[in-house]
Amino acid sequence: MNQFLRLHQLTTQFDHMLKEWGGALLNLGLRVFVGWQFLKAGMIKVQDWEGTLSLFREEYTVPLLPPELAAIMGAGGELFLPILLITGLFSRPAALGLFVVNAMAVISYPQLWKFECPAAINDHLYWGLLLLVLLVFGAGKFSLDSRIQSSAQT
């Protein structure tokens, strides 16, 4: 039994450090990865604004919003919220906002479900899951949220 306990202690001696630093690095990686996906999409939208408006008028069926307003809100969300998420400033609201943008993309473009290649819808599902992880666990140690919180406590 003592050997089992020693083995267990040996395998768990770095758990705290791994949780603290490894989790912080993982959160940073998730924030950068997911944020970059949305930021790229927003930049593409504004580079060809007429094409974007055409897509929102003819392809995307955003409920309750006129196509022009939906295009502005979509592009704005894809440009502003990723910056917050990547820097870790207001990261939970940014993750929630991007989750909504992602959900609207899936809802308003039902053709995603019909493509021969499932990668299109799978990307949205993965991004949604990663955003939920960030929403639940926060931005982590390497974020402006963490810096502001630690400054407020001192």
Side-chain angles (χ1 to χ4, degrees):
M1 185 64 160
N2 286 339
Q3 286 180 324
F4 176 77
L5 290 176
R6 273 186 258 149
L7 178 61
H8 187 268
Q9 286 174 340
L10 181 64
T11 62
T12 60
Q13 68 183 0
F14 298 107
D15 283 1
H16 176 71
M17 188 170 40
L18 183 60
K19 181 180 176 184
E20 186 173 343
W21 294 100
L25 285 171
L26 182 61
N27 282 0
L28 176 61
L30 291 178
R31 291 189 346 251
V32 170
F33 173 75
V34 176
W36 181 243
Q37 305 310 311
F38 285 92
L39 192 59
K40 284 189 304 187
M43 289 189 294
I44 289 169
K45 282 181 178 64
V46 296
Q47 285 174 352
D48 181 13
W49 190 246
E50 285 306 313
T52 297
L53 287 175
S54 176
L55 279 173
F56 274 85
R57 288 181 188 126
E58 298 165 20
E59 292 281 327
Y60 305 152
T61 53
V62 178
L64 305 175
L65 294 177
E68 292 77 11
L69 181 59
I72 291 168
M73 290 178 67
E78 288 177 337
L79 291 170
F80 178 67
L81 295 173
I83 293 170
L84 293 178
L85 190 69
I86 290 168
T87 61
L89 181 63
F90 301 108
S91 53
R92 281 192 166 105
L96 179 61
L98 286 172
F99 184 84
V100 170
V101 168
N102 189 49
M104 286 311 290
V106 172
I107 291 167
S108 66
Y109 194 53
Q111 291 85 346
L112 282 174
W113 296 93
K114 299 175 186 174
F115 289 144
E116 295 279 328
C117 176
I121 192 64
N122 285 347
D123 283 348
H124 287 279
L125 295 175
Y126 297 142
W127 298 333
L129 287 172
L130 294 175
L131 287 165
L132 286 177
V133 167
L134 292 169
L135 181 63
V136 170
F137 292 103
K141 187 180 214 77
F142 302 125
S143 67
L144 291 176
D145 287 342
S146 178
R147 295 277 242 172
I148 291 167
Q149 187 175 16
S150 64
S151 295
Q153 291 175 350
T154 56

